[in-house]
Amino acid sequence: MKTSSYSIQYGTLNGIISISFSLMLFFLDQHYQGGAFVNLINFLISLTIIILAQIAFKKDNGGYINLTDSLKLGLGISLINSILGVLFFFILSNFLDPNMNEKTLQIVEERIIEGNPEISQQELDTFIEATRQAMTPFTLSTAIIMASLFFGFLISLITGLFLKKSKTE
């Protein structure tokens, strides 16, 4: 049994749910805030979807799933989800909120000053300029995909260890 169809189906579901959550934040004008709570929600969405995919695959495979298939599912789902996330980010930052990068830099600057009020203007300007240079579409897309694959790997590894059941057991 191939994992690819499950990865596409559940990766698309993960992307749709994640984009819906991001749109909700956008419409509430909270898409700049980020933080631990937003990251936790996104993590829980991915965790749930990967577990559901692994369980569905195991059920459809006669009650068996090995660690390799668990990892393939998690990484496939994460890849599809991250590609959809990159596409949504492109739409968000270019059409829905074209000033997003500048607003984000302003928030970063405010947080730096809050956390380090003694920072010199030159240090602040250097940091903000380095952040601006790192906010290219390629860099951000790569970061989104790599982070998604990393967490997808971790999630699927841990859940796969719990769910695995091979035909020889």
Side-chain angles (χ1 to χ4, degrees), residues 29 31 38 45 47 60 63 70 81 91 93 131 140 151 158 160:
D29 199 30
H31 59 295
V38 170
I45 291 168
L47 173 68
D60 294 344
S70 291
N81 179 47
I91 292 168
S93 61
T131 303
L140 292 173
F151 286 108
I158 294 167

Side-chain angles (χ1 to χ4, degrees), residues 75-153:
L75 289 170
I77 290 165
S78 298
L79 181 62
I80 301 292
N81 179 47
S82 65
I83 289 169
L84 292 173
V86 166
L87 291 173
F88 172 73
F89 181 76
F90 176 79
I91 292 168
L92 177 66
S93 61
N94 287 290
F95 301 106
L96 297 176
D97 189 359
N99 297 319
M100 185 173 155
N101 285 348
E102 289 307 313
K103 290 178 188 175
T104 300
L105 287 170
Q106 183 180 5
I107 290 170
V108 166
E109 184 174 340
E110 290 168 5
R111 288 183 180 170
I112 291 170
I113 293 169
E114 275 179 27
N116 187 7
E118 298 86 28
I119 192 168
S120 73
Q121 188 61 45
Q122 181 181 359
E123 290 173 319
L124 181 62
D125 292 343
T126 301
F127 185 81
I128 294 299
E129 188 53 37
T131 303
R132 182 185 319 277
Q133 301 270 333
M135 291 177 68
T136 67
F138 176 77
T139 305
L140 292 173
S141 298
T142 303
I144 290 168
I145 291 170
M146 295 305 292
S148 181
L149 289 174
F150 175 74
F151 286 108
F153 175 79

